Amino acid sequence: MTDFSSMVILAISYAIEVGFALIFYDDAFLIRFFWGSMYTVICLVADYITLFIPQTFSHITSPDLLMGGALRMPFSLLYIALTAVLVFLLHCMSDRKIQLSVIQKISYFAICISGILIGHYIMVITLDAEKQFHDPDFTTKLVLVNLVFLILFLFLLLYIYQLGDSKAVNTALLEKQRLHELEEMEYKTLINTTEALREMKHDINIHLDVIQSLAANGKSDDLQTYINNYHHSLAQTHHLLSTGNTAIDCILSNKLDAAQKLNIQTEFSVLLPSNFSMDPLALSSLIGNMWNNALEACQRLQNTQPDTTPFIHFFIKPFQHMTLIHIENNYDSLIQQNGYFLSLKKDDSHGIGIKRMEDIVDEAGGIFQISTEDHIFTVHIMIPLKEAENEANNFNS
């Protein structure tokens, strides 16, 4: 009626469908573009089946199917039904995440646009051939060729979607593996620290025997010298904490020793509510990741700014029926990109330690906050207590 080019109408329709998905949905850009493109392909397939299959196999002419034709209404309803069925079938695939590289994304966009244009162009050629040559056999061949092309194109897009989904699943599995390795390392730290404490207990028994012997023989000067030497040696080699929580004692003792060896200034305070009942493995992973990130940032600061003194401040204390876990350290370089925190090991990758901490806090029903003001990285965590009665007066410190 308006004498517009069908190619222009298709381009406008495609832009509206993709634009609708981009504006009204909040998935990743690639997912929204995929579903916008898939809807256009579905409309092409439904349009083609409705318009050309009846002409090919039932000898129905185009005027009967176009506006004003005798069969316009029933075949329009058939078109709507076909579109609904195809959309429903695709919806049953479920909305999964897909992951593609930059080149793969560009290639995917080009395939979508070119495939839709080619399918529509064959449709236009079929209409022109029917009008000019009036050759049913030739028209039938074009119809079948285009129908096969559109179906194969639809399956190609679904195949690319499946590849992107598989890549996203593999990436998630690799990330879980790395998290498992980190947690296994923290668990080994717990074991090593516990073993070291057992060895120290054995050594203490020996030292007590020596002290008892010196005291029994009245050698007060030797006794005082021996006690001073032992006390100095103990202070130099071990930070012994006794909070009542084995995970905190082992992890924090180990990390404080590591910080001391790296000449990092540390301040810490632990006031642990007696009814704090977080899972020990999750707690060790949480505190271990906090300290690992802080130690790595301080080491990097020492390498890039030797004149700056690195520091780590850490404390745990009760706060309004919750347990507050807080750590802060100074740092030197870029730690965020596009809203994500970068790994300190690789500049081009996102840190998975922070993501793991967020997951642990979410599982515990807590609150997780990060701030990066004035080159000071701060992690602020609030964990609710299981039983919040009279905890203000009961601490193990």
Side-chain angles (χ1 to χ4, degrees):
M1 293 178 65
T2 57
D3 204 23
F4 274 121
S5 167
S6 59
M7 195 67 73
V8 173
I9 295 175
L10 176 69
I12 295 173
S13 174
Y14 183 46
I16 291 174
E17 288 155 6
V18 174
F20 182 89
L22 295 177
I23 293 172
F24 293 103
Y25 292 89
D26 58 359
D27 275 320
F29 176 83
L30 187 61
I31 289 287
R32 288 179 285 172
F33 182 85
F34 170 81
W35 288 113
S37 300
M38 287 300 296
Y39 184 74
T40 301
V41 177
I42 286 173
C43 290
L44 278 177
V45 173
D47 193 26
Y48 204 83
I49 292 174
T50 305
L51 183 63
F52 287 102
I53 297 302
Q55 294 183 63
T56 303
F57 297 101
S58 302
H59 305 292
I60 298 174
T61 61
S62 297
D64 293 332
L65 301 174
L66 299 178
M67 185 171 291
L71 300 176
R72 172 70 173 183
M73 183 175 293
F75 277 90
S76 294
L77 294 175
L78 175 62
Y79 168 79
I80 295 173
L82 282 172
T83 303
V85 169
L86 291 174
V87 168
F88 176 77
L89 291 176
L90 285 180
H91 177 72
C92 290
M93 292 174 53
S94 77
D95 192 8
R96 295 172 290 186
K97 294 182 179 180
I98 60 177
Q99 185 176 19
L100 299 173
S101 65
V102 176
I103 296 178
Q104 289 172 333
K105 289 179 182 178
I106 295 174
S107 301
Y108 174 72
F109 295 152
I111 290 173
C112 285
I113 296 172
S114 60
I116 291 172
L117 293 178
I118 291 172
H120 183 73
Y121 183 67
I122 298 176
M123 184 182 295
V124 172
I125 292 177
T126 305
L127 284 171
D128 292 340
E130 182 188 12
K131 292 178 182 178
Q132 294 181 12
F133 303 113
H134 303 286
D135 186 345
D137 292 335
F138 181 70
T139 302
T140 300
K141 292 176 182 177
L142 280 178
V143 168
L144 293 176
V145 167
N146 199 24
L147 182 61
V148 171
F149 169 79
L150 288 174
I151 293 175
L152 291 176
F153 179 58
L154 186 64
F155 277 102
L156 174 63
L157 295 184
L158 292 175
Y159 178 70
I160 296 174
Y161 179 86
Q162 186 64 36
L163 289 179
D165 175 63
S166 299
K167 185 176 181 180
V169 170
N170 291 336
T171 301
L173 290 175
L174 288 174
E175 183 174 309
K176 288 182 179 179
Q177 182 181 358
R178 292 177 62 189
L179 288 172
H180 176 72
E181 291 173 354
L182 287 174
E183 292 183 352
E184 186 178 7
M185 183 173 63
E186 296 300 336
Y187 178 74
K188 289 180 178 179
T189 299
L190 280 173
I191 298 299
N192 293 335
T193 304
T194 303
E195 185 63 28
L197 291 174
R198 288 175 180 171
E199 293 176 358
M200 183 178 297
K201 180 180 178 181
H202 179 267
D203 293 341
I204 287 175
N205 289 329
I206 296 175
H207 291 303
L208 288 176
D209 290 340
V210 174
I211 292 172
Q212 186 177 14
S213 176
L214 292 173
N217 294 325
K219 298 179 179 180
S220 57
D221 293 338
D222 293 340
L223 176 61
Q224 186 64 41
T225 302
Y226 186 86
I227 292 175
N228 290 338
N229 290 336
Y230 177 64
H231 184 270
H232 178 73
S233 174
L234 189 64
Q236 290 294 321
T237 57
H238 296 283
H239 285 278
L240 298 178
L241 299 180
S242 179
T243 65
N245 187 293
T246 305
I248 294 178
D249 292 346
C250 293
I251 290 293
L252 197 53
S253 296
N254 183 272
K255 300 306 178 183
L256 287 171
D257 283 336
Q260 184 182 44
K261 293 176 181 177
L262 295 171
N263 296 319
I264 299 172
Q265 291 186 357
T266 59
E267 293 182 8
F268 67 95
S269 174
V270 178
L271 295 174
L272 194 64
S274 59
N275 55 346
F276 181 74
S277 57
M278 190 173 179
D279 178 70
L281 289 179
L283 181 61
S284 64
S285 179
L286 179 65
I287 297 178
N289 274 305
M290 294 172 73
W291 274 87
N292 287 340
N293 290 341
L295 290 171
E296 289 167 7
C298 288
Q299 284 182 273
R300 194 165 181 171
L301 180 64
Q302 288 174 325
N303 295 331
T304 57
Q305 300 178 16
D307 296 334
T308 303
T309 302
F311 68 84
I312 299 175
H313 297 163
F314 176 83
F315 63 81
I316 300 176
K317 67 179 182 180
F319 181 77
Q320 295 183 353
H321 307 303
M322 304 182 81
T323 300
L324 170 62
I325 305 175
H326 176 96
I327 192 170
E328 62 182 53
N329 61 273
N330 48 354
Y331 67 94
D332 70 320
S333 59
L334 176 68
I335 59 172
Q336 273 188 294
Q337 190 178 74
N338 299 326
Y340 293 96
F341 288 98
L342 298 175
S343 170
L344 293 174
K345 301 178 182 66
K346 295 181 180 179
D347 291 336
D348 59 348
S349 64
H350 298 156
I352 63 174
I354 290 178
K355 183 180 182 303
R356 178 56 181 156
M357 286 190 286
E358 290 178 334
D359 292 340
I360 292 174
V361 174
D362 286 341
E363 291 173 2
I367 301 171
F368 184 88
Q369 293 180 340
I370 291 179
S371 64
T372 57
E373 296 180 0
D374 299 326
H375 281 263
I376 297 178
F377 189 88
T378 303
V379 178
H380 203 74
I381 296 172
M382 302 285 287
I383 302 294
L385 297 173
K386 297 297 182 181
E387 298 177 0
E389 295 180 2
N390 301 324
E391 79 275 15
N393 299 320
N394 299 303
F395 306 114
N396 294 321
S397 61

